[in-house]
PDB file of all heavy atoms in Angstrom:
ATOM      1  N   LEU S  42       6.662  -0.172   1.434  1.00 96.00           N
ATOM      2  CA  LEU S  42       5.414  -0.444   0.720  1.00 96.00           C
ATOM      3  C   LEU S  42       5.253  -1.937   0.430  1.00 96.00           C
ATOM      4  O   LEU S  42       4.153  -2.475   0.513  1.00 96.00           O
ATOM      5  CB  LEU S  42       5.372   0.367  -0.575  1.00 96.00           C
ATOM      6  CG  LEU S  42       4.070   0.333  -1.362  1.00 96.00           C
ATOM      7  CD1 LEU S  42       2.877   0.728  -0.515  1.00 96.00           C
ATOM      8  CD2 LEU S  42       4.179   1.244  -2.566  1.00 96.00           C
ATOM      9  N   GLU S  43       6.344  -2.621   0.142  1.00 95.00           N
ATOM     10  CA  GLU S  43       6.280  -4.062  -0.114  1.00 95.00           C
ATOM     11  C   GLU S  43       5.758  -4.816   1.121  1.00 95.00           C
ATOM     12  O   GLU S  43       4.915  -5.708   1.005  1.00 95.00           O
ATOM     13  CB  GLU S  43       7.649  -4.583  -0.515  1.00 95.00           C
ATOM     14  CG  GLU S  43       7.650  -6.055  -0.883  1.00 95.00           C
ATOM     15  CD  GLU S  43       9.006  -6.505  -1.372  1.00 95.00           C
ATOM     16  OE1 GLU S  43       9.994  -6.356  -0.628  1.00 95.00           O
ATOM     17  OE2 GLU S  43       9.065  -6.984  -2.506  1.00 95.00           O
ATOM     18  N   ALA S  44       6.226  -4.448   2.300  1.00 96.00           N
ATOM     19  CA  ALA S  44       5.772  -5.091   3.539  1.00 96.00           C
ATOM     20  C   ALA S  44       4.290  -4.810   3.787  1.00 96.00           C
ATOM     21  O   ALA S  44       3.549  -5.699   4.216  1.00 96.00           O
ATOM     22  CB  ALA S  44       6.616  -4.607   4.720  1.00 96.00           C
ATOM     23  N   LEU S  45       3.856  -3.591   3.498  1.00 95.00           N
ATOM     24  CA  LEU S  45       2.442  -3.257   3.664  1.00 95.00           C
ATOM     25  C   LEU S  45       1.577  -4.098   2.732  1.00 95.00           C
ATOM     26  O   LEU S  45       0.548  -4.638   3.130  1.00 95.00           O
ATOM     27  CB  LEU S  45       2.192  -1.772   3.394  1.00 95.00           C
ATOM     28  CG  LEU S  45       0.719  -1.366   3.433  1.00 95.00           C
ATOM     29  CD1 LEU S  45       0.162  -1.468   4.840  1.00 95.00           C
ATOM     30  CD2 LEU S  45       0.526   0.020   2.867  1.00 95.00           C
ATOM     31  N   MET S  46       2.005  -4.229   1.477  1.00 94.00           N
ATOM     32  CA  MET S  46       1.227  -5.004   0.517  1.00 94.00           C
ATOM     33  C   MET S  46       1.163  -6.471   0.924  1.00 94.00           C
ATOM     34  O   MET S  46       0.136  -7.122   0.746  1.00 94.00           O
ATOM     35  CB  MET S  46       1.805  -4.847  -0.888  1.00 94.00           C
ATOM     36  CG  MET S  46       1.695  -3.429  -1.430  1.00 94.00           C
ATOM     37  SD  MET S  46       0.037  -2.739  -1.319  1.00 94.00           S
ATOM     38  CE  MET S  46      -0.831  -3.836  -2.416  1.00 94.00           C
ATOM     39  N   ALA S  47       2.223  -7.012   1.488  1.00 93.00           N
ATOM     40  CA  ALA S  47       2.217  -8.396   1.968  1.00 93.00           C
ATOM     41  C   ALA S  47       1.219  -8.569   3.110  1.00 93.00           C
ATOM     42  O   ALA S  47       0.593  -9.627   3.242  1.00 93.00           O
ATOM     43  CB  ALA S  47       3.615  -8.807   2.414  1.00 93.00           C
ATOM     44  N   MET S  48       1.025  -7.529   3.905  1.00 92.00           N
ATOM     45  CA  MET S  48       0.052  -7.570   5.002  1.00 92.00           C
ATOM     46  C   MET S  48      -1.382  -7.395   4.490  1.00 92.00           C
ATOM     47  O   MET S  48      -2.288  -8.092   4.920  1.00 92.00           O
ATOM     48  CB  MET S  48       0.348  -6.449   6.015  1.00 92.00           C
ATOM     49  CG  MET S  48       1.596  -6.633   6.807  1.00 92.00           C
ATOM     50  SD  MET S  48       2.045  -5.162   7.783  1.00 92.00           S
ATOM     51  CE  MET S  48       0.523  -4.737   8.581  1.00 92.00           C
ATOM     52  N   GLU S  49      -1.567  -6.467   3.577  1.00 90.00           N
ATOM     53  CA  GLU S  49      -2.910  -6.109   3.120  1.00 90.00           C
ATOM     54  C   GLU S  49      -3.489  -7.106   2.111  1.00 90.00           C
ATOM     55  O   GLU S  49      -4.681  -7.384   2.138  1.00 90.00           O
ATOM     56  CB  GLU S  49      -2.911  -4.706   2.510  1.00 90.00           C
ATOM     57  CG  GLU S  49      -2.684  -3.604   3.515  1.00 90.00           C
ATOM     58  CD  GLU S  49      -3.791  -3.504   4.543  1.00 90.00           C
ATOM     59  OE1 GLU S  49      -4.979  -3.475   4.153  1.00 90.00           O
ATOM     60  OE2 GLU S  49      -3.482  -3.468   5.747  1.00 90.00           O
ATOM     61  N   ILE S  50      -2.674  -7.579   1.187  1.00 89.00           N
ATOM     62  CA  ILE S  50      -3.153  -8.495   0.142  1.00 89.00           C
ATOM     63  C   ILE S  50      -2.132  -9.625  -0.024  1.00 89.00           C
ATOM     64  O   ILE S  50      -1.456  -9.719  -1.053  1.00 89.00           O
ATOM     65  CB  ILE S  50      -3.357  -7.750  -1.201  1.00 89.00           C
ATOM     66  CG1 ILE S  50      -4.151  -6.479  -1.008  1.00 89.00           C
ATOM     67  CG2 ILE S  50      -4.055  -8.660  -2.207  1.00 89.00           C
ATOM     68  CD1 ILE S  50      -4.341  -5.679  -2.270  1.00 89.00           C
ATOM     69  N   PRO S  51      -2.006 -10.509   0.976  1.00 86.00           N
ATOM     70  CA  PRO S  51      -0.963 -11.541   0.899  1.00 86.00           C
ATOM     71  C   PRO S  51      -1.176 -12.548  -0.229  1.00 86.00           C
ATOM     72  O   PRO S  51      -0.209 -13.080  -0.768  1.00 86.00           O
ATOM     73  CB  PRO S  51      -1.033 -12.223   2.262  1.00 86.00           C
ATOM     74  CG  PRO S  51      -2.393 -11.915   2.782  1.00 86.00           C
ATOM     75  CD  PRO S  51      -2.779 -10.582   2.194  1.00 86.00           C
ATOM     76  N   GLU S  52      -2.426 -12.780  -0.613  1.00 84.00           N
ATOM     77  CA  GLU S  52      -2.705 -13.801  -1.631  1.00 84.00           C
ATOM     78  C   GLU S  52      -2.592 -13.279  -3.057  1.00 84.00           C
ATOM     79  O   GLU S  52      -2.560 -14.033  -4.000  1.00 84.00           O
ATOM     80  CB  GLU S  52      -4.104 -14.398  -1.418  1.00 84.00           C
ATOM     81  CG  GLU S  52      -5.258 -13.466  -1.772  1.00 84.00           C
ATOM     82  CD  GLU S  52      -5.550 -12.344  -0.779  1.00 84.00           C
ATOM     83  OE1 GLU S  52      -4.966 -12.322   0.311  1.00 84.00           O
ATOM     84  OE2 GLU S  52      -6.372 -11.477  -1.116  1.00 84.00           O
ATOM     85  N   LYS S  53      -2.542 -11.964  -3.225  1.00 75.00           N
ATOM     86  CA  LYS S  53      -2.554 -11.352  -4.559  1.00 75.00           C
ATOM     87  C   LYS S  53      -1.136 -10.965  -4.950  1.00 75.00           C
ATOM     88  O   LYS S  53      -0.496 -10.164  -4.287  1.00 75.00           O
ATOM     89  CB  LYS S  53      -3.456 -10.126  -4.536  1.00 75.00           C
ATOM     90  CG  LYS S  53      -3.717  -9.515  -5.862  1.00 75.00           C
ATOM     91  CD  LYS S  53      -4.948 -10.106  -6.487  1.00 75.00           C
ATOM     92  CE  LYS S  53      -5.340  -9.254  -7.678  1.00 75.00           C
ATOM     93  NZ  LYS S  53      -5.886 -10.000  -8.746  1.00 75.00           N
ATOM     94  N   LYS S  54      -0.642 -11.530  -6.030  1.00 77.00           N
ATOM     95  CA  LYS S  54       0.726 -11.245  -6.465  1.00 77.00           C
ATOM     96  C   LYS S  54       0.780 -10.442  -7.756  1.00 77.00           C
ATOM     97  O   LYS S  54       1.752  -9.776  -8.037  1.00 77.00           O
ATOM     98  CB  LYS S  54       1.504 -12.549  -6.660  1.00 77.00           C
ATOM     99  CG  LYS S  54       1.593 -13.415  -5.417  1.00 77.00           C
ATOM    100  CD  LYS S  54       2.390 -12.752  -4.336  1.00 77.00           C
ATOM    101  CE  LYS S  54       2.481 -13.644  -3.123  1.00 77.00           C
ATOM    102  NZ  LYS S  54       2.698 -12.965  -1.896  1.00 77.00           N
ATOM    103  N   LYS S  55      -0.275 -10.525  -8.592  1.00 85.00           N
ATOM    104  CA  LYS S  55      -0.285  -9.831  -9.881  1.00 85.00           C
ATOM    105  C   LYS S  55      -1.544  -8.989  -9.996  1.00 85.00           C
ATOM    106  O   LYS S  55      -2.515  -9.187  -9.276  1.00 85.00           O
ATOM    107  CB  LYS S  55      -0.238 -10.841 -11.025  1.00 85.00           C
ATOM    108  CG  LYS S  55       1.054 -11.613 -11.102  1.00 85.00           C
ATOM    109  CD  LYS S  55       1.058 -12.517 -12.300  1.00 85.00           C
ATOM    110  CE  LYS S  55       2.394 -13.255 -12.372  1.00 85.00           C
ATOM    111  NZ  LYS S  55       2.478 -14.099 -13.549  1.00 85.00           N
ATOM    112  N   GLY S  56      -1.515  -8.047 -10.920  1.00 89.00           N
ATOM    113  CA  GLY S  56      -2.702  -7.239 -11.177  1.00 89.00           C
ATOM    114  C   GLY S  56      -2.972  -6.193 -10.117  1.00 89.00           C
ATOM    115  O   GLY S  56      -4.115  -5.849  -9.859  1.00 89.00           O
ATOM    116  N   ILE S  57      -1.914  -5.671  -9.500  1.00 92.00           N
ATOM    117  CA  ILE S  57      -2.059  -4.662  -8.449  1.00 92.00           C
ATOM    118  C   ILE S  57      -1.353  -3.374  -8.878  1.00 92.00           C
ATOM    119  O   ILE S  57      -0.232  -3.409  -9.365  1.00 92.00           O
ATOM    120  CB  ILE S  57      -1.427  -5.130  -7.118  1.00 92.00           C
ATOM    121  CG1 ILE S  57      -2.069  -6.433  -6.644  1.00 92.00           C
ATOM    122  CG2 ILE S  57      -1.572  -4.051  -6.043  1.00 92.00           C
ATOM    123  CD1 ILE S  57      -1.358  -7.044  -5.460  1.00 92.00           C
ATOM    124  N   ALA S  58      -2.039  -2.264  -8.685  1.00 94.00           N
ATOM    125  CA  ALA S  58      -1.423  -0.950  -8.868  1.00 94.00           C
ATOM    126  C   ALA S  58      -1.558  -0.205  -7.546  1.00 94.00           C
ATOM    127  O   ALA S  58      -2.575  -0.322  -6.859  1.00 94.00           O
ATOM    128  CB  ALA S  58      -2.114  -0.173  -9.977  1.00 94.00           C
TER     129      ALA S  58
END
Side-chain angles (χ1 to χ4, degrees):
L42 187 54
E43 184 176 57
L45 175 68
M46 295 309 296
M48 291 170 48
E49 291 296 310
I50 311 178
E52 72 285 352
K53 188 91 168 145
K54 301 294 181 205
K55 294 184 178 183
I57 302 172

